[in-house]
Amino acid sequence: MDPDAIAAIRTHDDQRGLSFFGETPYVYHCHHYNLFHDQTIDDVLGEERGAQVRTAAARDAFRQLLHDCFTAARAQTPAERIDLAQSLFAAMGHGKTAIEADPDGQGRITGSHLHYGLCWREKYGQKVKRFDPVDAVTAGFGIAAIELAHRLHSGELMAVEKQCLALRDPQCEIELSRGEAPRPAEVLQKSTMRSSPAQKGLWEDQIEPIVQGLLQFLGGVAGDERGLVQAFNVFVTAHLSNYYNATIFEAMHELERTSPAVAGSGQKLFREAGHVCVFNTFGNILLSPEWESLVGPLPDDPEAITAFNLAIARSLGFGHWLVPEFEVGKRLVLRTTTNYEAPFYINRYGVADRPRCYVTEGAALAFAVLAHRVRWSSKPSLDQNFYDSLFRGAGLGWDTEVVKDQARGDDVTEIVVTKTG
Amino acid sequence: MELRRVVNCLKLLNWETYLPEGCPVDDWSERFVSRGAERLPDRMPGLTRLRWKGHEVLVVERSGRVAIRLDVDTPHPERRHAAERVFQMIVDVTRRPGP
Amino acid sequence: MSRSVLEQAVVGVASLKAIFITAMPDCLLYDAWQRGESDLDVSDVASYFGDLVRSNREGLKALGSWSSDMLVTIESADTLVVLQEINEHFVCGSIFDRDAPLGMVRLHLKRMVERILEQLPKIEAEERPRGVRLVEFVRRYAPDPHAAILRISVRTGLTTEQLDAAENLQDADIDKIEAAARRILGLNQINL
């Protein structure tokens, strides 16, 4: 799929800070977040069930996307559809795949540079050995592509990853066979995403031009010949928020049912995913040559850094994030009139009885920490030691309170971050 | 000129250096292209993107910062040397205008 | 050991890049000093050095060639690493410039170790509960150390408060921790 064809179905809703491929919402996340997210799902559900839930969530999310794509491109034959799916997946930065399947859906998917497998090997491969493959997203995508290419019902194909780069195999190989898979679940679409009218916060004049610059940049970003996007010193994916949401909420609901005593640990992990995201994705964007070209050198100014982070959140498709109140060194209020978590929750499960925007809450805290505790002008190394020094244990120094949550039926989501001690 | 490793979780993939003050980036990029680098499509105003022997080289016009992003297929033990080879080429292009 | 003590111990050793004191047998970082800015993960380095000395010691014992004053010297591309068991409780790992003469390195080491030994605490060996050691092991080696305890918590159903007081746990809970630790660390078994 050439970049022009992708551009034709890609839109960004400036008012809501959301990005779409056709009807399908997507966000940009880097490999740090993606790996942390999937690991957390497996921690909560166990490896076998985790892989099953992740595969099904990816299948459902990609099925919607591919359906829209095939319709837009008028792709009719199985070959056309498979080719288009592979191109789109690679353009999104997930890696180049080769899908081979019989008309009844049995077959295999291979890839030598799949985002999850390759990035796991890069990030953790020298530190720990792994027992289980990591490419459930590719498996789910492949199932969706084959189901739609051969016009099969969803829920009848199973995937088993036989080889994986993360297991030190030379490539990833996923086998597909017929079997009883989880039933398809409804996913969120552009037209079913509820949001409140956009509001203006602090520093809007500063934020908006940066958002436009970043959107222009991201519009031209596509996978390289291996289907990888290496930008901002990280590996980036355009990923489907339906995948993230379906997996997080499934895992949290199950944890609350089966081990309520440790549901708090699960919440903390998903909030931590927000820290991981902001520290790595946002931090690496700020320190990147791309950012320096667009905005200039970084000041050691908490207000400027927070404004930059809001601009990044909006352009990555996280929603319309704003800061209505900010007191340097004391308090930060993050408000979202739209974010990518709450609409999914409401749509699938109805109004929540507790806060559910975990990643947004974690990101709010990370905004305060990055604004106040990092000397950006010194171009710090965003490594594990630095992360630990900022976010681990008692040294954190900031606390969050979710005052409003759209998943609970409030008009906006609002998180108050306060300096402690 | 000095080669500096950008420390993050990607093992030795990202490096950077700075062009000497006053070095015109357009002219420098042209010279690099004449020495075998390939110019990549611009994604951001003020940011020149080049590829040399599979490695990406980005130059920030406003500061002369040069980011080296090594090909991810470069084996780990060879990455430092690969970065040094790219750096050596950058130094060479800077100091010796001719091909 | 206070920072100034380790800094004083290395005064005048220009070819020294870093020094790590690792507490044995748990291979935990006791103290470290590095020259200037560095991207090293000192806890990682300290624990790996401890493991290296331990396996080296066992290997030499198997060969019948072990002596308590052994030095492990590693010559890498740009550094010279010397590991030494300075007493039964501590390992000292010193990283020198690659081109530092070996004779001078040994001389510097002798002097530094004498200074350091004067400051090290006297340790009474303590047999700590297995649960505590397992939790520490995961904290030290887990891929995302900041999330390690939370990961064990959701995998085992034990709260973080219970894990922080792992000495009070029953055997069945400790087995759960070990199973979670093996998964997180990719180990078939954990030998503590």
Side-chain angles (χ1 to χ4, degrees):
Chain A
M1 194 173 191
D2 67 62
D4 288 344
I6 293 170
I9 59 164
R10 178 184 269 185
T11 56
H12 184 81
D13 181 336
D14 284 337
Q15 289 296 303
R16 299 199 285 175
L18 298 173
S19 300
F20 300 92
F21 284 121
E23 270 285 306
T24 306
Y26 75 92
V27 294
Y28 286 96
H29 266 302
C30 79
H31 69 281
H32 296 277
Y33 177 81
N34 286 336
L35 297 176
F36 192 93
H37 174 101
D38 277 22
Q39 180 62 54
T40 304
I41 302 299
D42 287 0
D43 287 328
V44 173
L45 299 175
E47 275 71 18
E48 194 178 332
R49 171 118 175 86
Q52 190 185 49
V53 167
R54 290 187 287 117
T55 304
R59 177 199 64 195
D60 296 343
F62 276 102
R63 198 176 156 93
Q64 179 198 39
L65 169 65
L66 294 176
H67 175 269
D68 288 355
C69 270
F70 296 161
T71 307
R74 294 181 184 167
Q76 293 294 327
T77 67
E80 270 181 303
R81 290 185 166 197
I82 293 288
D83 185 57
L84 191 55
Q86 290 175 161
S87 303
L88 180 64
F89 196 63
M92 292 167 76
H94 288 279
K96 198 170 170 184
T97 51
I99 300 176
E100 303 160 24
D102 298 337
D104 68 350
Q106 304 200 87
R108 63 179 200 150
I109 309 161
T110 52
S112 58
H113 291 83
L114 297 186
H115 170 81
Y116 283 87
L118 184 122
C119 292
W120 195 95
R121 195 181 68 185
E122 271 299 316
K123 181 166 182 174
Y124 300 126
Q126 290 189 322
K127 251 188 152 177
V128 284
K129 191 177 164 189
R130 205 185 152 91
F131 293 134
D132 306 284
V134 295
D135 298 291
V137 167
T138 305
F141 151 76
I143 290 172
I146 292 167
E147 284 173 353
L148 290 168
H150 294 291
R151 294 175 165 80
L152 303 171
H153 290 296
S154 192
E156 294 175 0
L157 287 182
M158 308 275 289
V160 178
E161 189 166 9
K162 296 284 188 182
Q163 289 188 48
C164 178
L165 291 169
L167 305 183
R168 301 176 189 172
D169 291 321
Q171 66 167 4
C172 301
E173 184 178 325
I174 299 162
E175 260 185 28
L176 302 171
S177 58
R178 294 195 69 88
E180 200 175 328
R183 292 169 60 82
E186 193 192 342
V187 290
L188 195 63
Q189 301 180 35
K190 186 179 187 177
S191 52
T192 54
M193 280 186 93
R194 299 183 203 180
S195 58
S196 294
Q199 297 177 11
K200 285 194 184 301
L202 300 170
W203 321 300
E204 290 292 338
D205 293 347
Q206 197 182 347
I207 293 168
E208 209 37 48
I210 300 174
V211 172
Q212 294 310 319
L214 282 174
L215 285 173
Q216 198 178 346
F217 171 76
L218 290 167
V221 168
D224 61 16
E225 61 275 14
R226 288 163 293 209
L228 299 172
V229 176
Q230 199 179 353
F232 308 124
N233 295 338
V234 290
F235 287 99
V236 182
T237 53
H239 211 324
L240 307 181
S241 52
N242 283 319
Y243 169 76
Y244 295 126
N245 289 322
T247 47
I248 286 185
F249 296 134
E250 179 69 24
M252 276 310 301
H253 283 177
E254 191 153 320
L255 191 63
E256 286 158 7
R257 268 198 313 273
T258 57
S259 303
V262 296
S265 296
Q267 285 171 20
K268 282 182 188 164
L269 275 171
F270 287 120
R271 281 202 295 262
E272 178 104 27
H275 307 168
V276 168
C277 163
V278 169
F279 177 82
N280 289 295
T281 311
F282 289 50
N284 272 304
I285 288 175
L286 289 172
L287 290 170
S288 68
E290 289 91 343
W291 181 272
E292 189 179 341
S293 293
L294 180 68
V295 183
L298 292 171
D300 293 319
D301 172 1
E303 295 194 41
I305 295 298
T306 306
F308 294 164
N309 281 332
L310 291 171
I312 293 169
R314 291 183 195 179
S315 53
L316 297 184
F318 283 27
H320 189 77
W321 291 26
L322 60 131
V323 165
E325 294 171 48
F326 189 90
E327 250 184 293
V328 176
K330 290 182 180 168
R331 191 166 182 268
L332 178 156
V333 178
L334 177 71
R335 183 182 297 163
T336 70
T337 53
T338 322
N339 64 53
Y340 75 79
E341 294 174 287
F344 181 96
Y345 194 92
I346 295 257
N347 195 61
R348 181 169 286 190
Y349 304 105
V351 174
D353 60 355
R354 65 195 81 180
R356 291 290 184 186
C357 299
Y358 306 117
V359 176
T360 309
E361 187 187 348
L365 187 137
F367 274 21
V369 171
L370 291 201
H372 291 89
R373 296 189 55 200
V374 178
R375 277 190 57 234
W376 291 99
S377 62
S378 70
K379 292 191 174 178
S381 297
L382 299 181
D383 57 10
Q384 188 64 51
N385 281 339
F386 192 42
Y387 181 93
D388 288 346
S389 74
L390 295 177
F391 292 101
R392 199 171 175 182
L396 196 53
W398 293 82
D399 206 359
T400 57
E401 185 189 358
V402 181
V403 178
K404 290 183 174 183
D405 189 330
Q406 285 163 303
R408 277 191 315 204
D410 294 320
D411 56 337
V412 294
T413 296
E414 190 165 296
I415 296 138
V416 178
V417 191
T418 317
K419 184 88 176 79
T420 57
Chain B
M1 293 171 77
E2 196 180 6
L3 180 66
R4 172 183 168 264
R5 179 157 77 95
V6 178
V7 180
N8 58 19
C9 82
L10 300 173
K11 302 288 179 209
L12 303 168
L13 274 185
N14 295 311
W15 301 75
E16 68 176 29
T17 185
Y18 279 84
L19 296 178
E21 219 168 297
C23 177
V25 171
D26 279 353
D27 186 41
W28 183 89
S29 304
E30 283 308 316
R31 293 207 302 269
F32 202 173
V33 169
S34 74
R35 304 278 295 270
E38 173 196 356
R39 194 179 280 280
L40 298 172
D42 286 345
R43 284 177 179 169
M44 189 74 90
L47 185 69
T48 301
R49 293 171 66 226
L50 302 158
R51 180 152 55 189
W52 186 71
K53 292 191 183 297
H55 310 299
E56 198 169 322
V57 175
L58 297 95
V59 192
V60 181
E61 284 172 23
R62 67 165 84 203
S63 64
R65 174 183 174 189
V66 182
I68 301 168
R69 289 180 183 157
L70 295 183
D71 183 339
V72 70
D73 284 337
T74 312
H76 286 190
E78 293 168 29
R79 289 182 180 176
R80 181 179 292 277
H81 296 299
E84 283 167 354
R85 279 198 298 277
V86 180
F87 175 64
Q88 195 51 54
M89 187 62 182
I90 290 168
V91 171
D92 213 38
V93 169
T94 310
R95 295 202 175 141
R96 288 198 302 156
Chain C
M1 194 165 14
S2 70
R3 175 69 47 195
S4 61
V5 171
L6 204 50
E7 274 172 10
Q8 283 167 22
V10 303
V11 162
V13 191
S15 55
L16 184 71
K17 295 162 91 167
I19 190 163
F20 301 86
I21 308 295
T22 305
M24 301 297 278
D26 294 332
C27 302
L28 294 171
L29 175 69
Y30 179 72
D31 200 2
W33 171 89
Q34 296 175 74
R35 189 180 301 285
E37 274 192 28
S38 165
D39 51 34
L40 296 177
D41 181 332
V42 290
S43 299
D44 267 4
V45 175
S47 57
Y48 289 130
F49 280 179
D51 283 343
L52 193 56
V53 165
R54 183 163 46 200
S55 47
N56 192 66
R57 182 213 298 143
E58 297 311 311
L60 287 175
K61 277 182 176 171
L63 288 170
S65 306
W66 182 76
S67 73
S68 60
D69 58 350
M70 67 165 187
L71 289 180
V72 180
T73 307
I74 302 164
E75 299 179 21
S76 74
D78 52 2
T79 56
L80 178 68
V81 180
V82 186
L83 306 177
Q84 186 177 7
E85 257 183 307
I86 54 180
N87 65 25
E88 61 181 315
H89 303 300
F90 293 100
V91 164
C92 174
S94 310
I95 302 177
F96 290 89
D97 290 332
R98 177 69 183 83
D99 51 5
L102 207 51
M104 287 303 290
V105 165
R106 287 195 176 121
L107 187 64
H108 286 316
L109 269 177
K110 188 170 180 300
R111 288 182 187 157
M112 286 193 308
V113 167
E114 280 171 5
R115 290 176 203 158
I116 292 166
L117 270 173
E118 286 173 15
Q119 304 297 330
L120 285 174
K122 304 288 177 272
I123 291 178
E124 291 294 324
E126 178 193 4
E127 188 57 45
R128 286 171 310 134
R130 181 168 175 75
V132 174
R133 298 181 72 179
L134 273 169
V135 169
E136 277 180 10
F137 193 78
V138 177
R139 278 199 166 115
R140 190 187 321 145
Y141 290 113
D144 294 312
H146 50 96
I149 292 305
L150 293 171
R151 294 204 190 291
I152 295 184
S153 172
V154 293
R155 280 176 179 269
T156 58
L158 297 166
T159 63
T160 52
E161 291 76 18
Q162 287 176 296
L163 292 168
D164 284 341
E167 64 276 12
N168 300 326
L169 294 174
Q170 303 296 312
D171 286 351
D173 290 333
I174 291 167
D175 289 345
K176 282 190 209 164
I177 297 175
E178 180 164 349
R182 279 193 271 112
R183 270 289 175 188
I184 291 170
L185 296 167
L187 295 172
N188 290 316
Q189 57 180 24
I190 297 176
N191 298 309
L192 289 177

